[in-house]
Amino acid sequence: MTVITIGIDLGTTFSCVATIDEHGKPIVLKNEDGNSITPSVVAFERAGNVIVGDEAKNIQSLGDANVASFFKREMGNPDFYLTFYGKQYSPTDLSAYILAKLKADAEKVLGKAITKAVITCPAYFNAMQREEVKKAGKLAGLDVLRVINEPTAAAVAFGIKSEKEQTLLVYDLGGGTFDVTLMKITADEIAVLATDGNHQLGGKDWDDTLREYAVDKFQEEFAENPLEDSATANDLLVAAENTKKTLSQKTTTNFVIAYNGNKGRYEITREQFEDATKHLINQTLTLCESVLAAKQMDWKNIDGVLLVGGSTRMPQVESELKKHTDNLLHGINVDEAVAIGAAIQADLDANEKHYTLETKQSSSKSGYTLEGRRTIRDVTGQSLGMIAENADRSKYINTIIIPRNTNIPSCEVRPFQLRTSSRQDNEIEVYVTQGEGLLPSGCVILGKYVISGITHEKGKAVCDIAYHYDKSGTVEVSAKQRSTDKNLTVRKDNPGDMSWTDLCPKDRDPEPELEHVTVLLTVDTSGSMCGDPINEAIKAAHRFVNEIDLTHCSVGLMMVADRVLMLCYPTQNSKEIGRAIDTLNRPSDIPSENIYGAPLNLDAGVGNAAQPFTEARQCFDNIDGIKFMLVLADGVWDNQPYAVQEAKKCHADGIEVAALGFGGADKKFLHDIASCEENAIFTNMNQLGESFSKIAQVITEGKTELQRRN
Ligand code: ADP
Ligand code: MG
């Protein structure tokens, strides 16, 4: 039996509900007042009544102060509360009132009880904010099947109508937020490639600017500031929004301000309005360009821009976007598309069609048809990371585990090592972050995860910690002890005061538990490496970075061809290393500051073979802790005796050299450059990943000489 579900666009200014009717067609459900969108406004009455939607918005425009709106911008902010008649409400509580109203109105139209829903949120909402959306749904009596991104939902609504394959930007300018998403619609998939946004940018900022503009004129004329009176300020905001909307229709209108017995009447043209708000529209265009750049794209690489959100009705949006693209897609209702996409997803989820979209409604006039299958693939808008100490223990840093724009759901496992005690409980505390900041203070701290139940073992215990992004973009953490393969207990605590992350780790705890390890990956990319071998090496290097414990290890990357290039100095930032690894087979992408002199000649052999060792000694010069150089080679180097001589200097400097060879690598040479017998490893191309993985494990477990395991 088909389960009736709804999709809810929980907007900053307006919300909307849709469902799939008995013919399989998505429809928008009108509210009690007969409108397809409901203002996201909640009014509180002294008697304890709570009024939501159109009526609440009317109450607000009369200047009543006991009205809440625009709280979605504060969702997930633990310090944000609004107080009405002595009671505090969080943005989650307020959202729950809206959801409850939407649910009740939908039930009236459908004549049935509804419990299952998909709710949308801006793509850049962090995991905590998504949790809050789920919580609000639960408070409203809904079983939230999942939380999906607004632009993805819009694209789903559009995508199922689209007949051709295309790459699109979804430009969603709402009342309080701006979201931009790069998507690809193919015959069998709707995939999000990248997303970005600004949750403090929306139609309201245009209203504010317009109000400011008129108030300036009033002040010039009467030398009085009407914004000093909060009721007038509120009225003027409502007037500004109306004026803005009028300017979407007409090229000129009047803005009237009456205050303190004075009345000013100002003519405003569309052109003046557009000039005054140019900086706002430019911010949206910059974000569009950065999302394109995230996928090495440009305006010319997209087939069109899909407009979503009420503010895209401003003619300015269209005229500015037209400068960059010929194709603005109007195929959808900007107010309803998000709810419709959510309704489609809800139907898929509840009726167990999983990710596959098969709509049979091909005869429907409205055109919501889809032939064949569509998979919906979304990405995470923000990187997931954790707090670690940097190599010299001078500061706390954010190390990224799952980079932004990774497909969700997604899971990454990272090792963590610790010394255990037989006398007391052994615990690990991991602070999970979200955001792109290099320092913890530049990120949102999602929580303190305490991992316990670790069994005492000799040496260092290794726990593999798994970080999951689920299909809603919320985060879960699980852990296993490697030696016992036992699942460990994970408890999520409130992170509390995080000001310690601004301190110096060395000062807080002079004795490090584990010594820092610096690894310099050195890859011979000359001659014979071209093609498959280099691609295998890239895969293996990525695996190595994933499997090493970056909380106390740094990894650098050096490339050896006719010259030696330092592609990445040792760092704990997995993203940075990852990017450098990817340039191994794309020398044209290597930043020019890395290219000394002439362009690289990849077809030549290794020129001065000693150079990598000379370079490595320099690189390690100021680094403390365990130093490790891992050389990957598949051929024979020029001037080998000199290379061996320089490698020996590395050994003398305390740099442990391991040599990994395959293909035509010279075994004797590998032995000569390695610091000990065990560190010369001969493998084959298909085993490269395994070999790198073993080395990462050994390093993570705190051993050095590579094959002396057990
Ligand atoms: P959200 O999803 O953030 O709730 P919406 O997508 O519903 O927002 O858009 C609401 C915004 O659209 C408001 O700022 C509103 O003023 C603006 N808007 C609606 N209609 C028009 C119009 N005709 N011209 C300009 N702006 C408009
Ligand atoms: Mg919206």
Side-chain angles (χ1 to χ4, degrees), residues 9 11 14 72 150 172 174 309 338:
D9 169 8
F14 287 101
K72 179 176 159 186
E150 287 161 12
D172 181 357
V338 172

Side-chain angles (χ1 to χ4, degrees), residues 43-51 85 89 97:
F44 294 84
E45 290 192 320
R46 183 170 300 280
N49 290 340
V50 180
I51 298 163
Y85 299 109
Y89 299 88
Y97 281 118

Side-chain angles (χ1 to χ4, degrees), residues 284-304:
T284 68
L285 297 174
T286 306
L287 284 163
C288 289
E289 279 155 18
S290 82
V291 91
L292 288 168
K295 291 286 149 189
Q296 288 84 40
M297 282 192 203
D298 191 338
W299 290 101
K300 63 178 184 305
N301 301 115
I302 54 169
D303 299 303

Side-chain angles (χ1 to χ4, degrees), residues 477-647:
V477 173
S478 61
K480 257 186 185 181
Q481 186 161 355
R482 201 177 277 176
S483 61
T484 62
D485 202 36
K486 198 180 76 176
N487 277 321
L488 299 167
T489 313
V490 181
R491 182 178 82 236
K492 186 182 170 190
D493 280 355
N494 192 332
D497 179 8
M498 294 297 294
S499 55
W500 56 267
T501 59
D502 297 330
L503 306 174
C504 170
K506 231 179 338 202
D507 294 342
R508 290 184 71 222
D509 174 16
E511 281 301 306
E513 195 194 10
L514 302 165
E515 204 171 352
H516 197 89
V517 185
T518 304
V519 185
L520 183 60
L521 291 181
T522 307
V523 183
D524 165 7
T525 59
S526 59
S528 54
M529 279 293 275
C530 291
D532 281 348
I534 192 70
N535 292 330
E536 286 305 316
I538 287 174
K539 264 195 253 160
H542 277 300
R543 184 163 166 190
F544 179 80
V545 172
N546 280 348
E547 294 184 3
I548 199 160
D549 179 357
L550 287 173
T551 60
H552 80 114
C553 297
S554 304
V555 181
L557 181 66
M558 194 154 77
M559 161 174 167
V560 187
D562 60 333
R563 268 165 307 118
V564 176
L565 295 186
M566 196 60 139
L567 297 182
C568 175
Y569 282 94
T571 169
Q572 286 159 280
N573 182 330
S574 63
K575 233 175 165 174
E576 219 176 284
I577 316 164
R579 264 199 303 264
I581 291 171
D582 286 332
T583 58
L584 279 172
N585 62 353
R586 288 187 277 114
S588 56
D589 286 356
I590 298 167
S592 55
E593 65 260 31
N594 266 323
I595 310 267
Y596 331 122
L600 274 182
N601 178 3
L602 283 187
D603 294 329
V606 177
N608 179 354
Q611 226 181 306
F613 296 105
T614 320
E615 194 82 20
R617 286 178 64 211
Q618 260 169 35
C619 163
F620 280 116
D621 194 28
N622 282 316
I623 293 178
D624 292 332
I626 299 166
K627 302 168 205 179
F628 204 92
M629 181 180 182
L630 178 55
V631 183
L632 177 68
D634 80 329
V636 177
W637 292 11
D638 291 346
N639 204 353
Q640 295 199 359
Y642 184 49
V644 172
Q645 185 188 320
E646 288 296 302

